[in-house]
Every structure is written in structure tokens, then in C-alpha cells.
Amino acid sequence: LVLAKGGHMAQTLCQWSAAEINLPTPGAVHCHHAGTSQSCLLSTLSDCEPSTSPLVTAPGAQVHDQQTADADAAWDCYQLKINHRTVGALKICWRPIVTAEHSIEETTIQTLVEQISITIHRLQLLQKLQSESLQDPLTKLFNRRYMMSMLDKLLQRVSYGHYQVGLIMMDIDHFKQLNDTFGHDAGDQVLRVIGLFFKGHARPNDVMCRYGGEEFALILPEITWEVLERRANQLCRAVKYLSLNFHQDSLHITLSAGYAIAPTHGTTSATLMKAADQALYVAKRAGRDRAV
């Protein structure tokens, strides 16, 4: 049984054979939904050549001539649908030696198709709910709830020794004035662009969050003080190069940032955030557009 989801690569669910099994060519598959063979096949499957793209070889399998092995095999394709929406495709390879010993009714297969469709749909809904509960809807960054959870977990490693966690708290300068002058639509556009900006400047292990309003937080695991200082200053410099236009107006954005590192400035979420917040306050008092 081969499962293909969306545009992703096919995955073998199970196999009752010691032989090598290859993905079928488009013409070798019988689709059980007339006129929908293309959606059943999915592009990643139709691009595979039987002679060069083996899907799986069972452990200890004898490698035979593939044309002989697949000569009498039949492939069936079933669309996985839920609420009239295709969520994937299920392909079943029938070999004569298997079908002779095991007779499977069509109703059994249809039940299997329905159950897999429902399961995939439920997993998609669960993934969406989890994402929405941890993500800020406007900037698409992690929200405050996720930030606090991750910071607590990372600071536990600090207590074990030889591990440092950096925290940068950032504020968009004069954001209230921007909202009052250009309106909340302009403010929302700035927040969305800033969200993309931060995503582009984050390392794979960094945790970038919208802390609230125009305030953002960046958690940097496994970092030195020198690198943390450099990253904070780079963010403040780079944001000034953003090109932001709202209708006929050009918007110029600057950031104020305060940074701190654990365990030097705190070993708990509360103490580390307080240290970074105090540094941010100093940056604002010093004229904004800087990291402290």
C-alpha cells in the first residue's frame, strides 16, 4: 500500500512481498474515480520511472529483474477524500501470487479508504488548531504563550551548566504615533512586514515571538555574549533598510532593543525578561533606534 499526500513524496504503509516494488507509471494505474486519474496519480508519483526509482526493498529481499517482477502486477488508485476535498491518494499493488492466496472484497478496501481519509483530515485539523494556538495571526510569529513555554524549557538546560540562552526584547519606535497618523491599517501592515523581517533574520534554532502590541522577543539558544550583542545591533541596523509604503506615503521604521543572557543576568524567565526589559527601557531613554 502506497500513500501519497498532497504534493509530497509517496510513503509505503505496508508490504506483503520480499521483492522490490517500484512506483507505477501513469498508464499502469487503474483509478477508481473516472476522470480524476491525474489527481489520483499526483505529480510526484507520475514522475518516477520504474527502472530507476525503486520505492522500497524489503529486508533480505532477492533483487529480480524488475520488468519480470512487475509484468503481471496491477495497481489500483483510490482518492482519499473528505467533505468533497481530496487529501491524498492510496495506491495498492496487486501481484498474482498475493491475490491468489488472499481475496479482499471491494467494500473492505472502501472502508480502509474512508478510515484513512478521516484520520488524515483529523490530523490536519489538529495540526491547524495547534498552530493557531501558538501563532500570532497577524505576524505569523510565535505568540507570548509559546515564548514563555520555550524560555522555561531552555532555561532548565542553563541550570545544568555550560549552556547560555540569550534574550532580545524589541520595540517598534513611535508605533502609536504611526497608528495615529496613518491609521491602524498602516500599523497592521508594518507589523506584518516586521514579522517577515524577523523570520528572515532568525537562525533555525531561534524562537521569534510577538510579545504583544508592537513589542517582540527573540530567544537565542546556545549563544555567547559577543554574538548576542552583534545580533541585537544587526537587527536595529537592518530594519532601517526596509522599504515600506502605505498608499502614497513612505514609512520609516526603527527599533529599540534590550538584550540579556542567562545565566549572567538571570536564571529564570522572570529575571531574564526583567533584565532585557530594563535594557530596552535604557535604549528608549537614550534616544531609541539602538540596542543596549
Side-chain angles (χ1 to χ4, degrees), residues 269-281:
S269 296
T271 55
L272 188 63
M273 288 181 63
K274 183 178 180 181
D277 265 332
Q278 288 175 341
L280 175 59
Y281 180 74

Side-chain angles (χ1 to χ4, degrees), residues 3 15 33 50 106 116 119 123-124 128 138 183 200 252 283-284:
L3 175 66
Q15 177 180 340
H33 295 269
E106 183 68 19
I116 293 176
T119 301
L123 288 172
Q124 288 174 338
K128 183 179 178 183
L138 184 62
H252 300 284
K284 290 181 179 182

Side-chain angles (χ1 to χ4, degrees), residues 91-135:
K91 295 185 182 302
I92 304 177
C93 178
W94 304 103
R95 291 179 178 276
I97 191 172
V98 176
T99 53
E101 298 176 4
H102 305 281
S103 177
I104 302 177
E105 294 182 2
E106 183 68 19
T107 54
T108 303
I109 298 175
Q110 288 296 344
T111 301
L112 175 65
V113 168
E114 290 172 9
Q115 291 299 316
I116 293 176
S117 301
I118 292 169
T119 301
I120 290 176
H121 182 62
R122 286 176 176 172
L123 288 172
Q124 288 174 338
L125 288 177
L126 178 62
Q127 187 179 40
K128 183 179 178 183
L129 288 171
Q130 288 176 336
S131 175
E132 288 176 350
S133 69
L134 301 175
Q135 191 180 68

Side-chain angles (χ1 to χ4, degrees), residues 47-173:
D47 292 340
C48 294
E49 294 294 334
S51 60
T52 59
S53 303
L55 179 66
V56 65
T57 302
Q62 297 286 331
V63 180
H64 304 288
D65 177 73
Q66 194 56 47
Q67 290 185 341
T68 304
D70 282 343
D72 299 321
W75 282 88
D76 281 342
C77 175
Y78 296 84
Q79 273 189 309
L80 302 176
K81 301 186 73 172
I82 191 80
N83 298 330
H84 307 292
R85 185 171 67 89
T86 301
V87 295
L90 179 71
K91 295 185 182 302
I92 304 177
C93 178
W94 304 103
R95 291 179 178 276
I97 191 172
V98 176
T99 53
E101 298 176 4
H102 305 281
S103 177
I104 302 177
E105 294 182 2
E106 183 68 19
T107 54
T108 303
I109 298 175
Q110 288 296 344
T111 301
L112 175 65
V113 168
E114 290 172 9
Q115 291 299 316
I116 293 176
S117 301
I118 292 169
T119 301
I120 290 176
H121 182 62
R122 286 176 176 172
L123 288 172
Q124 288 174 338
L125 288 177
L126 178 62
Q127 187 179 40
K128 183 179 178 183
L129 288 171
Q130 288 176 336
S131 175
E132 288 176 350
S133 69
L134 301 175
Q135 191 180 68
D136 173 61
L138 184 62
T139 62
K140 306 304 179 185
L141 300 175
F142 290 118
N143 58 23
R144 182 173 178 172
R145 174 185 172 188
Y146 182 79
M147 170 204 162
M148 298 304 297
S149 172
M150 284 302 299
L151 190 57
D152 286 337
K153 289 178 181 177
L154 289 169
L155 288 176
Q156 287 179 359
R157 300 184 190 179
V158 173
S159 63
Y160 303 148
H162 307 292
Y163 192 88
Q164 295 187 114
V165 175
L167 176 65
I168 306 175
M169 301 295 290
M170 292 166 285
D171 215 31
I172 302 175
D173 294 331

Side-chain angles (χ1 to χ4, degrees), residues 120-248:
I120 290 176
H121 182 62
R122 286 176 176 172
L123 288 172
Q124 288 174 338
L125 288 177
L126 178 62
Q127 187 179 40
K128 183 179 178 183
L129 288 171
Q130 288 176 336
S131 175
E132 288 176 350
S133 69
L134 301 175
Q135 191 180 68
D136 173 61
L138 184 62
T139 62
K140 306 304 179 185
L141 300 175
F142 290 118
N143 58 23
R144 182 173 178 172
R145 174 185 172 188
Y146 182 79
M147 170 204 162
M148 298 304 297
S149 172
M150 284 302 299
L151 190 57
D152 286 337
K153 289 178 181 177
L154 289 169
L155 288 176
Q156 287 179 359
R157 300 184 190 179
V158 173
S159 63
Y160 303 148
H162 307 292
Y163 192 88
Q164 295 187 114
V165 175
L167 176 65
I168 306 175
M169 301 295 290
M170 292 166 285
D171 215 31
I172 302 175
D173 294 331
H174 306 296
F175 187 74
K176 185 180 184 301
Q177 182 180 333
L178 184 148
N179 267 336
D180 293 342
T181 304
F182 299 101
H184 289 284
D185 287 344
D188 287 349
Q189 181 177 323
V190 168
L191 290 172
R192 280 192 288 267
V193 171
I194 286 289
L196 291 171
F197 166 79
F198 283 137
K199 278 188 174 181
H201 283 77
R203 302 177 306 174
N205 292 333
D206 292 344
V207 182
M208 190 68 235
C209 316
R210 183 184 180 190
Y211 187 71
E214 70 273 22
E215 195 167 3
F216 298 84
L218 176 59
I219 304 171
L220 304 102
E222 294 187 280
I223 198 167
T224 63
W225 174 255
E226 292 75 19
V227 175
L228 175 62
E229 185 176 35
R230 186 165 66 248
R231 290 286 303 281
N233 282 288
Q234 282 174 345
L235 287 169
C236 289
R237 285 197 303 269
V239 76
K240 291 189 283 188
Y241 291 97
L242 283 178
S243 178
L244 281 165
N245 296 304
F246 185 74
H247 299 317
Q248 303 300 320

